[in-house]
């Protein structure tokens, strides 16, 4: 039936592109720093200080549509839209809520057809930041948030945001679900910073008032997307106003990346966490193949190049895999490694979170406690990360779902 109706006369073909204007390639502004924004404005005949105005609107006021930027004259806003400019901030496409208050997001990047990326909001954090020099020690009586006016209380007094730096990851750690994807693509600076700004907006976070920690510990290896990762950090520090001392970047030990990071000025350098995860090169090489390229001592040498701020410490993350890395002798070896590094450091223990198709087992609560106590008895500051959002696959190493759908 249908075939009979199909015309063979080319003059009768109707192009699907019935609204050509809608298909004009948009020019996103989000992700550009104020100098680049000023250059875009100069191209439409505006003075350079429009760059500062736009940066303020995008990153501080968190406006998501050009029409909302009322600091710009209406005629200019209209002109910008005619010329196909858009804010182009990544959007939260889907939210999963955990019983513990954690939220996991699928965020649509700047390529509307591209895969979504994952980010996580953890009210009250997961204790990962404990003891790394970022939290002033306060007497219990003044620990509550006193900066907020009476009557405008929020359901959280501090929060941690965890963002992704890549879709998938090329590093191939054997215990990590993200590794199963391989590397799909690098995120742009706008897509990395955009996850943060979209989440700040969703929770009405007041930058400078609310206690907010940011961790680059989602999907991907930040130091294998170094330029975009650091460009995002600069936007978040210089434009959004977040403190680099409340940010932590975690790396599996990409030595050239750590060496570059060591050269970053204090004003924009987050704190550093190293995913140690094993007591020696032999076990680490098995569970993290990257160790064969950059073994533990090469990583330590690179980390020693970072000039730490006063009271700042390096965090060593350590995933406890049942029977593989969770034995008391492993704890003693880790203590020796950390002591010999000569670095001011602390160890964050993470009980392995299971994932489909990964043949490890969770450590028993007894093994976790023994490991913690052994490290502590050896004089190493040690903290246990609380698993957050396991029921919604938001916990460490569980971010993957996105690209499977
Ligand atoms: N690629 C970076 C940052 C993202 S992974 C890195 O590896 O450091 C963030 C942390 O989650 C790392 O310390 C990693 O070792 C840990 N992790 C990965 N998979 C995990 C899992 N299944 N359970 C618990 N922690 C995991
Ligand atoms: Fe990549 Fe980190 Fe997962 Fe290793 S643990 S595969 S580096 S995301």
């Amino acid at each position: 039936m249908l075939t009979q109706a199909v015309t063979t006369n080319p003059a009768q073909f109707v192009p699907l592109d019935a609204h050509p204007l809608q298909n004009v390639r948009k020019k996103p502004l989000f992700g550009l720093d104020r100098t680049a924004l000023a250059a875009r404005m100069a191209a439409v005949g505006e003075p350079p200080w429009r760059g500062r105005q736009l940066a303020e609107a995008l990153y501080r006021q968190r406006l998501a549509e050009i029409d909302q930027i009322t600091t710009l004259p209406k005629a200019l806003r209209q002109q910008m839209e005619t010329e196909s400019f858009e804010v182009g901030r990544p959007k939260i496409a889907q939210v999963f809520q955990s019983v513990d208050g954690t939220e996991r997001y699928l965020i649509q990047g700047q390529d509307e057809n591209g895969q979504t990326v994952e980010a996580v909001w953890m009210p009250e954090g997961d204790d990962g930041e404990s003891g790394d020099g970022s939290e002033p020690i306060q007497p219990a009586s003044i620990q509550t948030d006193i900066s907020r006016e009476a009557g405008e209380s929020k359901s959280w007094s501090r929060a941690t945001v965890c963002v992704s730096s890549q879709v998938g990851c090329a590093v191939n750690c054997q215990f990590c679900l993200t590794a199963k994807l391989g590397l799909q693509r690098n995120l742009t600076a706008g897509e990395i910073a955009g996850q943060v700004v979209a989440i700040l907006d969703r929770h009405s976070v007041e930058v400078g008032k609310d206690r907010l920690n940011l961790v680059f510990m989602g999907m991907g290896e930040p130091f294998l997307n170094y330029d975009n990762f650091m460009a995002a950090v600069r936007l978040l520090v210089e434009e959004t106003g977040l403190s680099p001392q409340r940010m932590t970047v975690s790396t599996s030990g990409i030595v050239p990346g750590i060496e570059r990071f060591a050269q970053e000025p204090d004003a924009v350098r987050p704190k550093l966490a190293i995913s140690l995860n094993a007591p020696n090169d032999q076990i680490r090489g098995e569970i993290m193949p990257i160790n064969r390229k950059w073994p533990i001592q090469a990583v330590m040498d690179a980390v020693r190049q970072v000039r730490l701020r006063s009271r700042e410490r390096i965090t060593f993350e350590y995933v406890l895999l049942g029977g593989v890395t969770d034995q008391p002798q492993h704890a003693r070896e880790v203590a020796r490694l950390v002591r010999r590094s000569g670095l001011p450091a602390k160890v964050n223990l993470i009980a392995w979170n299971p994932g489909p198709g990964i043949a490890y087992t969770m450590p028993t609560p007894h093994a976790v406690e023994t490991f913690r106590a052994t490290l502590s008895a050896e004089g190493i500051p040690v903290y246990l990360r609380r698993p957050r959002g396991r029921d919604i696959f938001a916990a460490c190493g569980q971010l993957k779902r996105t690209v499977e759908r």
Side-chain angles (χ1 to χ4, degrees), residues 112-227:
E112 296 265 308
N113 302 314
Q115 299 122 327
T116 51
V117 300
E118 306 209 1
V120 180
W121 161 266
M122 291 172 278
E124 311 312 321
D126 65 353
D127 295 344
E129 73 283 4
S130 307
D132 64 4
S134 67
E135 297 288 308
I137 298 159
Q138 295 183 336
S141 59
I142 58 164
Q143 255 177 358
T144 49
D145 184 0
I146 49 170
S147 58
R148 199 169 301 288
E149 314 251 322
E152 28 161 330
S153 72
K154 286 184 174 161
S155 59
W156 44 275
S157 62
R158 67 189 173 99
T160 299
V161 170
C162 174
V163 297
S164 297
S165 54
Q166 299 179 310
V167 180
C169 184
V171 179
N172 201 22
C173 303
Q174 300 296 296
F175 49 83
C176 173
L177 204 51
T178 305
K180 299 268 179 204
L181 297 169
L183 176 64
Q184 306 281 321
R185 69 179 181 92
N186 278 333
L187 297 185
T188 63
E191 287 173 324
I192 299 173
Q195 296 167 64
V196 182
V197 175
I199 295 171
L200 297 183
D201 208 23
R202 174 174 168 84
H203 292 279
S204 306
V205 172
E206 292 172 77
V207 173
K209 250 183 164 190
D210 291 323
R211 285 171 64 194
L212 186 92
N213 292 298
L214 173 58
V215 296
F216 297 91
M217 298 189 187
M219 295 170 91
E221 169 49 62
F223 283 4
L224 290 179
N225 184 18
Y226 191 89
D227 291 330

Side-chain angles (χ1 to χ4, degrees), residues 169 175-177 216-218 220-222 250-252 275 277 317 319 350-353 396-398:
C169 184
F175 49 83
C176 173
L177 204 51
F216 297 91
M217 298 189 187
E221 169 49 62
S250 174
T251 178
S252 54
S275 293
N277 294 344
E317 285 162 287
V319 178
I350 317 166
W352 179 68
N353 293 306
C396 293
Q398 295 193 313

